[in-house]
Structures are given as structure tokens and as C-alpha cells.
């Protein structure tokens, strides 16, 4: 159980006095410098969003999107339809006619001809080439049997010659070869007894020279190493250890603190900018928006209602009355014209035409009466009257 327990989180290492001494002034200076930049940045962001939503997007739609849509809808699509219709009329239909009335009959003829040629070739293969092939195969089988017999004879003769040559090699050349090998071994032993001491002496001299050259090179290398170490390495190590490393640590601490101060100041400046923006928004609302809203609700809305009730509605009622009067006058004029035309027809053609015109006039009059009929005041329902069968007076 003790092994499964997680180790306790280690506390951060204590910070030095240099870090604490640098942190507060750096954060104060950075905050003073960053707050105006953050406020300007937030203002620019707000202005950019306003311009994007109010100017750039409508301009983009008006200058790019809508012209492209109109171009596609009223130019590209009709042009594509026209090109498709022209392609169908000028290319597809002629090709279909050519395939149906020219290529299809020609293809049928070529297929019939090919079937005839294939049938002829099959007949030639079955009736001519097959018997000839069988005869050639029978002839080749006979020639193969004769060549097989000849080959067997040649193989028997070759095996006899090889056996003779093997016997001659085993009885004559083998003893001679053994003597030559014995002679070469003796010569090699003599040469080894003579040249081995000479070779060992040469190897010993070469090893001595190599050891001497290695000692000289090693001494030169050690000298150069110490010279380079004393003149270059030790000064550079001292410079790095006593100057550059402390300076780098100090700069690292300063840079880390400046970076942390920038982040901290940027966040604080964001809160300050948000507070300033809310204050300005509230001030703008109380200075401009609320007075405009109050004027709209208190002044413009009642004035609009008064104008609507006093001016616009009476004008609309008067316009509707004028329209009704005009329609009635036009209906009366049309009735008068029809009556005059019926009288003229009666005078010219007698009672038949008059009766027909009278019927048409009566039907038209009845249709207009139904269309223009309105409920009268006596037929409307009020609080003091009723239209039911039980309470009707």
C-alpha cells in the first residue's frame, strides 16, 4: 500500500533576492507601458469588428457575391443551356443518326463477313491443316526414333573413351604428379629456412621505426595540446565561468521576469480596458441612447399615434369612400351604356335582340348587386337584440 501512494508535490524552489528585487519595478514599468497599448488594441479590435460587420461584409456582398451570383444565374447558366442545346442539335443528334442509319448496318455487314471468314478458316483447319499436321507429327516421331538410336550409339562410344582416359590418368599421370608435389615441398622448405630470419629482421626494424615515429608524434601532440589549452581553453573557460554564465543567469532572470510581467500586465490591462469600455458604453448609453429612447417613447410614439388616428385613418377612409363612389359611378355608367345599346338594338332588330340584351343586362345587374352587397344596420347583431329563434322579438 505504501508503494502505491503518490509522492507529495514538491514545493517550488525559493526565489532569490535578485528575482524579488527585479520583479516589482519591472512589473510596474511594464504595466504603465502596456495599459495604453492594450486600450488602443481593444479599441482597434472594436473598430475592426464594426468595420467588418458594417462595411466590409456589405461591400463584399455588393461588389463580389451578388455580381458573381447574377453572373452565374443570368449569364453562365443560360449560356451553358444554350451551348448544351447547340451541342445536342449539332453533335449528339447527327451522331445518333449516323450510328443508327450508317454505322449499325455497316457493322452488321462486317460482322456477317467476319463470321463467314471464321467459318471458312475453321473448315480449312478441320479438313486440310489437321490431316497435314497429323502426318507431320507421325514423320517427326519416326525421325525422333532414328535420332534416339543414333544418340544411344554415340553415348556408348563416349563412355568407352572416357573409361580409357580415366585408366591412363590413374596409371601414368598420378605418380608423376606426386613427384612434382614432393619436389615443390622441398624447395619451399629450403626457401623458408633461408628467408624467414631476413623477414623477421625487417619486421623488427619496421616496428622500431613505427614506435619512434609514434613517440615523436605523441610528444608533438601533447605539446600542442597543452599550448592550445593554456592559450585558448583556459581563458575561454574562465570567461565563460566567471563572466558569461553569471551574466546569462542575470539576463535569463530579467527576461523571465519581463515576460511574466508582460503577461501579467497584459491581463490586468485587459481588465482595465474592459472596465474603460464598459464605462464608455454606459456613458454613451446614458448620454445618447437613453435620451433618444425617451424621445422616441415619450414624444415620437404619441405624435405618430395622433397622426395615424387624426390624419392617416381619415385620409384612408376618404380614399376608400372615393373608391366606392367611383366604382358605383362606373357601374352606373356601364349600366347606362348597356341600356342605350339595348334600346339601339331594339330599334334596329326588334324585340328578339332587345330580350337577349335585357337578359344580359339583368344577369349583369344581379351579379353586380351580389358583388356590391353589404350588411345593413338592421341586420347587424347588437347587445340589445338577438337573432336566435327563442329570443327573437
Amino acid at each position: 500500500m505504501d508503494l502505491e501512494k503518490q509522492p507529495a508535490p514538491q514545493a517550488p524552489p525559493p526565489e532569490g533576492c535578485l528575482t524579488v528585487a527585479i520583479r516589482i519595478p519591472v512589473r510596474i514599468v511594464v504595466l504603465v507601458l502596456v495599459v495604453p497599448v492594450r486600450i488602443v488594441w481593444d479599441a482597434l479590435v472594436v473598430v475592426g469588428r464594426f468595420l467588418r460587420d458594417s462595411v466590409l461584409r456589405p461591400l463584399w456582398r455588393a461588389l463580389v457575391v451578388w455580381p458573381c451570383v447574377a453572373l452565374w444565374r443570368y449569364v453562365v447558366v443560360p449560356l451553358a443551356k444554350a451551348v448544351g442545346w447547340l451541342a445536342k442539335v449539332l453533335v449528339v443528334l447527327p451522331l445518333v443518326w449516323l450510328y443508327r442509319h450508317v454505322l449499325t448496318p455497316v457493322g452488321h455487314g462486317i460482322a456477317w463477313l467476319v463470321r463467314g471468314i471464321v467459318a471458312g478458316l475453321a473448315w480449312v483447319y478441320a479438313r486440310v491443316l489437321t490431316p497435314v499436321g497429323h502426318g507431320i507429327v507421325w514423320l517427326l516421331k519416326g525421325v525422333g526414333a532414328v535420332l534416339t538410336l543414333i544418340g544411344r550409339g554415340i553415348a556408348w562410344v563416349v563412355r568407352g573413351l572416357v573409361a580409357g582416359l580415366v585408366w591412363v590418368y590413374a596409371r601414368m599421370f598420378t605418380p608423376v604428379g606426386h613427384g612434382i608435389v614432393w619436389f615443390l615441398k622441398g624447395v619451399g622448405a629450403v626457401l623458408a629456412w633461408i628467408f624467414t630470419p631476413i623477414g623477421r629482421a625487417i619486421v623488427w626494424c619496421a616496428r622500431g621505426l613505427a614506435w619512434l615515429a609514434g613517440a615523436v608524434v605523441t610528444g608533438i601532440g601533447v605539446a600542442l595540446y597543452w599550448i592550445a589549452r593554456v592559450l585558448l581553453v583556459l581563458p575561454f573557460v574562465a570567461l565563460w565561468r566567471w563572466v558569461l554564465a553569471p551574466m546569462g543567469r542575470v539576463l535569463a532572470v530579467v527576461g523571465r521576469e519581463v515576460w511574466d510581467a508582460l503577461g501579467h500586465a497584459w491581463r490586468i490591462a485587459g481588465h482595465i480596458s474592459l472596465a474603460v469600455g464598459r464605462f464608455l458604453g454606459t456613458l454613451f448609453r446614458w448620454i445618447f441612447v437613453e435620451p433618444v429612447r425617451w424621445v422616441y417613447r415619450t414624444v415620437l410614439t404619441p405624435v405618430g399615434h395622433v397622426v395615424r388616428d387624426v390624419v392617416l385613418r381619415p385620409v384612408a377612409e376618404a380614399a376608400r369612400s372615393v373608391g366606392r363612389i367611383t366604382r358605383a359611378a362606373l357601374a352606373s355608367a356601364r349600366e347606362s351604356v348597356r341600356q342605350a345599346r339595348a334600346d339601339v338594338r331594339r330599334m334596329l332588330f326588334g324585340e328578339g335582340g332587345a330580350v337577349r340584351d335585357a337578359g344580359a343586362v339583368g344577369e349583369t345587374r344581379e351579379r353586380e348587386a351580389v358583388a356590391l352587397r353589404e350588411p345593413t344596420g338592421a341586420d347587424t347583431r347588437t347587445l340589445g337584440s338577438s337573432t336566435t329563434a327563442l329570443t327573437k322579438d
Side-chain angles (χ1 to χ4, degrees):
M1 297 298 293
D2 295 333
L3 296 176
E4 294 180 357
K5 293 181 179 179
Q6 296 182 356
Q10 297 180 358
E15 298 178 349
C17 59
L18 179 62
T19 303
V20 177
I22 292 174
R23 180 176 298 169
I24 297 175
V26 167
R27 288 195 176 186
I28 294 173
V29 173
V30 170
L31 181 62
V32 172
L33 295 176
V34 168
V35 168
V37 176
R38 182 60 186 265
I39 294 174
V40 174
W41 174 261
D42 292 338
L44 291 177
V45 169
V46 173
V47 173
R49 290 177 180 175
F50 175 76
L51 291 177
R52 182 193 64 186
D53 297 334
S54 303
V55 178
L56 296 180
R57 284 184 178 176
L59 286 177
W60 174 259
R61 292 178 181 177
L63 298 178
V64 178
V65 177
W66 292 343
C68 291
V69 171
L71 180 64
W72 174 263
R73 183 176 298 173
Y74 299 108
V75 177
V76 176
V77 174
L79 184 61
K81 291 181 179 179
V83 171
W85 182 80
L86 289 176
K88 180 179 179 181
V89 172
L90 298 178
V91 178
V92 177
L93 294 179
L95 289 178
V96 170
W97 182 87
L98 179 65
Y99 174 77
R100 184 175 297 172
H101 297 89
V102 178
L103 297 179
T104 301
V106 172
H108 289 170
I110 293 173
W112 179 81
L113 182 61
V114 169
R115 284 196 296 270
I117 294 173
V118 170
L121 292 175
W123 183 86
V124 170
Y125 175 78
R127 302 298 181 180
V128 178
L129 296 179
T130 300
V132 172
H134 290 170
I136 293 171
V137 169
W138 180 81
L139 180 62
L140 291 175
K141 286 182 179 179
V143 173
V146 174
L147 292 176
T148 301
L149 293 175
I150 295 171
R152 288 178 180 176
I154 293 171
W156 182 79
V157 173
V158 169
R159 282 197 296 270
L161 292 174
V162 170
L165 291 174
V166 169
W167 183 83
V168 170
Y169 174 77
R171 300 297 181 183
M172 296 178 63
F173 292 102
T174 300
V176 176
H178 290 170
I180 293 172
V181 170
W182 180 80
F183 176 74
L184 291 176
K185 286 182 179 180
V187 172
V190 173
L191 293 176
W193 181 73
I194 294 173
F195 290 103
T196 299
I198 298 173
R200 290 178 179 177
I202 293 172
V203 170
W204 184 79
C205 293
R207 287 179 180 177
L209 292 175
W211 178 83
L212 181 61
V216 172
V217 171
T218 303
I220 294 173
V222 170
L224 292 176
Y225 166 74
W226 282 104
I227 291 172
R229 184 174 181 180
V230 171
L231 296 179
L232 298 176
V233 176
L234 294 179
F236 180 76
V237 169
L239 178 65
W240 174 264
R241 182 175 298 174
W242 304 108
V243 178
L244 296 179
M247 187 180 297
R249 293 191 186 96
V250 173
L251 291 177
V253 171
V254 172
R256 185 173 65 252
E257 292 300 326
V258 169
W259 180 258
D260 295 339
L262 282 174
H264 186 69
W266 186 260
R267 290 190 295 270
I268 294 176
H271 293 292
I272 295 174
S273 176
L274 181 61
V276 171
R278 288 179 179 177
F279 172 74
L280 292 177
T282 305
L283 186 64
F284 176 76
R285 187 176 69 250
W286 286 106
I287 291 176
F288 181 75
V289 177
E290 292 297 334
V292 170
R293 184 182 296 176
W294 181 83
V295 169
Y296 177 78
R297 289 181 178 179
T298 309
V299 179
L300 296 180
T301 302
V303 171
H305 291 172
V306 170
V307 170
R308 181 191 64 187
D309 297 334
V310 175
V311 178
L312 297 180
R313 285 183 178 176
V315 170
E317 291 293 336
R320 283 196 290 269
S321 300
V322 170
R324 286 196 295 269
I325 294 170
T326 304
R327 287 194 297 272
L330 292 176
S332 300
R334 285 195 297 270
E335 182 66 22
S336 300
V337 171
R338 289 192 186 96
Q339 189 67 33
R341 186 176 63 184
D343 294 338
V344 172
R345 188 180 294 276
R346 186 183 299 112
M347 286 188 297
L348 294 177
F349 299 103
E351 292 297 330
V355 171
R356 186 169 59 250
D357 288 341
V361 169
E363 183 179 359
T364 304
R365 186 179 300 170
E366 183 179 358
R367 185 170 62 250
E368 291 178 355
V370 171
L372 298 176
R373 184 172 59 192
E374 295 181 357
T376 60
D379 294 335
T380 58
R381 181 181 297 176
T382 61
L383 296 175
S385 63
S386 177
T387 58
T388 61
L390 295 178
T391 60
K392 185 181 295 185
D393 295 335

